[in-house]
Amino acid sequence: MADYALRDNAFVGAGPGSLFQQPAFFRLHAGERGRYFEWAANDKVGASVHFTPAGDDGLWRSPARGTFAGFASDAELKGEDLFAFHDAVESTLRAEGAKRLEVLPAPMAHDPAAFANQLYLLRTRGYEMSQCDLNQSLEVDARSLSD
């Protein structure tokens, strides 16, 4: 494993992933107890995820509000590092009173490899899918939208 360490609300730098996984989006909805985690080696962020408490029943959600967030990781990050990151985040949140974690990943069409890695990570760690939304994706090309 590389020399990655868990950074908690440190905002080391722009990490991988979409707008919904970046610090600016997190700050819009974080409240006082939201946590933005980065798996960083020096100033290089290999993975990130944010969770915010969602109610008084021990539920923490990624994202607190919005379409999706979940785990984002650099394509070069080794699987063992992604698993270590998840375990460190989960341990930290459990210590904060989290009883249940809910992750809303990006649709598979956005990045099939990243989606597969996140699904594998969560399923391997015992998470279950509680809902499945139909996603409509269109390839942007030279055709008109009506076509």
Side-chain angles (χ1 to χ4, degrees):
M1 277 201 307
D3 292 328
Y4 287 100
L6 184 66
R7 309 289 175 88
D8 184 353
N9 285 344
F11 307 105
V12 173
S18 73
L19 162 73
F20 300 109
Q21 294 159 318
Q22 298 301 315
F25 179 79
F26 162 75
R27 287 181 178 121
L28 288 173
H29 309 289
E32 293 178 12
R33 294 185 56 214
R35 306 290 281 274
Y36 188 86
F37 298 101
E38 293 164 300
W39 196 235
N42 298 318
D43 291 335
K44 178 176 176 11
V45 177
S48 65
V49 69
H50 55 83
F51 283 93
T52 303
D56 296 328
D57 62 351
L59 171 65
W60 287 64
R61 231 174 141 238
S62 179
R65 294 178 55 200
T67 308
F68 61 82
F71 289 85
S73 61
D74 185 296
E76 302 299 316
L77 187 72
K78 293 181 180 178
E80 62 194 38
D81 283 313
L82 182 58
F83 277 70
F85 174 56
H86 169 273
D87 295 347
V89 168
E90 186 178 78
S91 176
T92 300
L93 291 175
R94 298 274 183 219
E96 287 290 317
K99 295 183 175 104
R100 191 166 54 107
L101 302 179
E102 186 175 275
V103 178
L104 301 175
M108 182 175 60
H110 288 212
D111 186 340
F115 180 84
N117 288 339
Q118 186 169 197
L119 183 63
Y120 179 72
L121 165 71
L122 294 171
R123 294 288 295 157
T124 301
R125 290 301 193 246
Y127 288 74
E128 296 178 3
M129 190 177 301
S130 63
Q131 68 184 49
C132 182
D133 294 326
L134 181 62
N135 180 53
Q136 304 292 329
S137 297
L138 296 174
E139 183 178 346
V140 176
D141 58 21
R143 293 176 290 173
S144 70
L145 183 57
S146 63
D147 290 343

